[in-house]
Amino acid sequence: MLATHTAANDGIERSYLTPEHARTNWTVGEWMAEAGLIPWQDAAGNQRGTYAGQTADAPVLLLGSHLDTVPGAGRYDGILGTLMAIAVVGRLAARGERLPFAIDVLGFADEEGTRFGRTLLGSCAVAGTWDESWWGLRDVQGVTLRDAFVAFGLDPARVGEAALDPRDVVGYLEAHIEQGPLLQDADKALGVVSGIMGARRFELTMVGEAGHAGGVPYGRRRDALLGAAEVAVAVEALARDAGAVGTVGRMQAYPGAQNVIPGRAEFSLDLRAETDALRDRVWLDIEEKALKSAAERRLDFLVDEKHQAKATVVGARLAAAVEAGIRTTGDDAPLTLLSKAGHDAMAIADLCDYAMLFIRCKDGISHHKDEDVRADDVALALDAFEAAVLEARKRHGLTGAH
């Protein structure tokens, strides 16, 4: 059983560079070894396992997903895809089959960004896009990423050793629960991903003036919370009308007393769209609305952008391999889906082509303890994922003898 921290709502929490992270890597490493992989932990704390190819200089196909979670998480986001990758190698090893490429299974250490607020740390390290400015990131206890690295037993100076050379990589395949209801609505177990939406995340603040709830007349009020609320409502309308997705997931008023007009309101914004141009255009519309609301209420509007990830498109040959894998399960018309959720594949896209297999999840629920999948869907997904790996040989011209 995976080591987990039980969150307040009885969900799961596994976050980066914690004791739970270490125990999870150890457990997954044991499962990798049982499946025929050589397990190892890389310089960024990702748990990896290697299955050799037919030759020592064979290129490598990457399989995997992430091992970390959000607070109060369910049991399948990330971890299911990692375990499926291990299981595929287990099937190959049981048959004594070696491929014209090696396979590296990756259990990425930090996709969610729960602890330090910056997503995709593990996969960025593998892709070679680690940013030295991240060392100063702090968790809620004030611990820096650099100090957490050292406490975990990692050397910050060696994080670059986690990176792969793109010349040695065939591509990356990831299986993941859909985190949406489209497969369920279509009565499909599996789907092939066409791409991943680009995302931007902001911490926004309206600053006004606190005052007595009864004593300050409306004409003199500078209510920061009302200004923030107007923006939150506008986010939904502007994003929906443009075909983007905008979410205000958190809002906090200060000083927070029942009988005090809020003098400061802090709120988050998560903005996603199929193209970066559309996403950025919607942000400009939201910013314009926020500045207008601030001016009308005599507030100051502050913007702190925390995260930006570009939209990505799957590699055609790898996506075709995934689609072919789904067809082997009896689905002659696989559903193609755009992923509105972010994945490690977004970061790995800077290293190599990627493709993804989606698995139906009950009611589209994810990032919640009620996250659920059907066992028969997972069985089909495993067959399809194995078939996609084998199909990748032909799609990349790697057809060496077994």
Side-chain angles (χ1 to χ4, degrees):
M1 187 69 181
L2 277 178
T4 62
H5 170 71
T6 301
N9 67 353
D10 296 325
I12 294 167
E13 182 171 350
R14 292 191 296 268
S15 54
Y16 193 35
L17 304 176
T18 62
E20 288 79 15
H21 173 188
R23 287 192 287 268
T24 297
N25 278 8
W26 178 267
T27 302
V28 172
E30 289 185 324
W31 293 341
M32 287 177 167
E34 291 171 4
L37 291 140
I38 299 173
W40 54 289
Q41 179 179 276
D42 72 17
N46 299 304
Q47 180 60 38
R48 294 161 76 162
T50 300
Y51 184 71
Q54 292 170 351
T55 62
D57 62 348
V60 61
L61 177 68
L62 309 178
L63 309 178
S65 192
H66 59 100
L67 298 175
D68 67 314
T69 73
V70 297
R75 296 184 294 170
Y76 302 102
D77 178 2
I79 184 64
L80 177 62
T82 309
L83 297 185
M84 283 179 54
I86 295 171
V88 165
V89 174
R91 289 182 172 189
L92 295 173
R95 298 194 297 264
E97 184 172 5
R98 297 286 174 177
L99 302 178
F101 45 75
I103 295 176
D104 268 9
V105 173
L106 300 104
F108 291 111
D110 184 56
E111 188 255 20
E112 302 287 4
T114 296
R115 183 174 181 188
F116 294 101
R118 176 59 174 82
T119 63
L120 304 172
L121 291 176
S123 43
C124 281
V126 173
T129 56
W130 187 274
D131 189 327
E132 291 294 312
S133 69
W134 296 341
W135 293 120
L137 295 172
R138 295 180 181 271
D139 65 12
V140 294
Q141 279 79 40
V143 178
T144 66
L145 178 57
R146 180 181 293 277
D147 288 344
F149 241 66
V150 173
F152 195 78
L154 299 172
D155 182 353
R158 300 181 65 181
V159 69
E161 296 176 12
L164 291 170
D165 187 332
R167 295 171 295 183
D168 299 332
V169 181
V170 172
Y172 172 65
L173 295 176
E174 179 172 357
H176 205 284
I177 61 171
E178 181 196 350
Q179 299 179 287
L182 298 184
L183 285 170
Q184 179 175 286
D185 290 349
D187 195 25
K188 297 270 193 179
L190 310 175
V192 58
V193 174
S194 61
I196 303 173
M197 281 188 166
R200 294 175 72 176
R201 293 179 182 174
F202 301 87
E203 294 294 334
L204 306 176
T205 305
M206 286 289 188
V207 181
E209 185 175 46
H212 194 285
V216 181
Y218 280 114
R220 295 193 178 188
R221 293 189 178 204
R222 298 174 60 208
D223 191 321
L225 180 58
L226 290 181
E230 287 178 347
V231 177
V233 173
V235 163
E236 180 186 41
L238 293 169
R240 175 181 285 180
D241 290 348
V245 181
T247 303
V248 175
R250 177 187 55 78
M251 184 177 290
Q252 180 67 50
Y254 298 94
Q258 188 173 11
N259 60 348
V260 179
I261 299 164
R264 183 182 182 93
E266 298 175 354
F267 57 111
S268 63
L269 171 62
D270 182 296
L271 185 60
R272 305 168 190 241
E274 184 172 359
T275 68
D276 295 342
L278 174 58
R279 176 202 63 194
D280 296 345
R281 187 166 69 249
V282 174
W283 160 245
L284 292 176
D285 291 341
I286 292 170
E287 185 179 38
E288 181 181 2
K289 170 60 181 175
L291 290 170
K292 181 180 178 182
S293 296
E296 290 174 347
R297 294 183 176 276
R298 296 179 294 119
L299 308 173
D300 293 320
F301 176 58
L302 309 178
V303 177
D304 182 10
E305 185 166 6
K306 294 294 189 180
H307 170 71
Q308 185 171 150
K310 64 180 181 293
T312 61
V313 178
V314 297
R317 290 183 295 178
L318 284 176
V322 171
E323 183 172 344
I326 295 174
R327 291 181 186 275
T328 67
T329 68
D331 184 349
D332 293 330
L335 189 65
T336 298
L337 302 166
L338 174 67
S339 178
K340 297 178 181 179
H343 302 283
D344 287 298
M346 300 172 75
I348 297 300
D350 286 323
L351 173 72
C352 62
D353 282 349
Y354 77 90
M356 292 188 68
L357 171 74
F358 267 178
I359 303 154
R360 170 169 50 190
C361 63
K362 184 179 180 181
D363 298 328
I365 295 172
S366 184
H367 284 190
H368 188 275
K369 64 184 180 65
D370 292 337
E371 188 177 86
D372 198 13
V373 296
R374 289 168 41 171
D376 56 339
D377 286 353
V378 174
L380 288 174
L382 185 54
D383 290 342
F385 203 52
E386 179 187 9
V389 170
L390 298 176
E391 184 70 17
R393 295 179 293 189
K394 294 182 284 185
R395 303 284 172 174
H396 281 76
L398 299 170
T399 56
H402 295 294

